[in-house]
Amino acid sequence: MANLSVAENIIPIGEFKTQASRLLRQVSQTARPLVITQNGRPAGVLLSPTEYDRLRSRERLLESIAAGIADADRGRLMDADTLRGRLATRRVDSGADQP
């Protein structure tokens, strides 16, 4: 994510309302988030769809890693040969090896 510039990337909600089209375009082109304030306090953050997707993907990856570490801590491990066997069985069961 691009660095946040306080001078350029924080805007009151009233200004956002009047310049929404331009600001949406800006966020999309620069990939910099826009913090929208209400009564002088942060109320929301506007991200481009690409940046949002990137953040969600990263979050899913980190959750998967944490789940894997938790499984390892609980002793829920398998060696490479067992994994290969299970994957081969799934391929055969799903018909993936058939023409």
Side-chain angles (χ1 to χ4, degrees):
M1 181 182 307
N3 289 335
L4 189 66
S5 167
V6 173
E8 298 175 20
N9 299 104
I10 297 178
I11 188 165
I13 195 164
E15 189 174 335
F16 175 76
K17 288 177 182 179
T18 62
Q19 299 181 32
S21 180
R22 180 185 68 78
L23 293 168
L24 286 167
R25 195 170 38 254
Q26 173 186 317
V27 166
S28 180
Q29 291 171 351
T30 65
R32 289 191 317 233
L34 181 66
V35 177
I36 302 167
T37 62
Q38 188 170 29
N39 299 321
R41 295 178 175 227
V45 178
L46 180 65
L47 300 172
S48 70
T50 302
E51 187 63 20
Y52 177 78
D53 288 343
R54 189 188 70 73
L55 287 173
R56 291 289 297 143
S57 178
R58 181 181 172 141
E59 179 182 23
R60 285 190 300 274
L61 173 64
L62 293 174
E63 288 170 354
S64 295
I65 292 169
I69 291 171
D71 281 347
D73 288 346
R74 290 186 192 102
R76 295 174 50 183
L77 306 169
M78 79 175 64
D79 61 37
D81 290 335
T82 303
L83 176 61
R84 283 187 201 98
R86 286 189 182 186
L87 291 174
T89 300
R90 286 187 182 182
R91 272 195 303 272
V92 170
D93 290 347
S94 69
D97 287 344
Q98 300 174 6

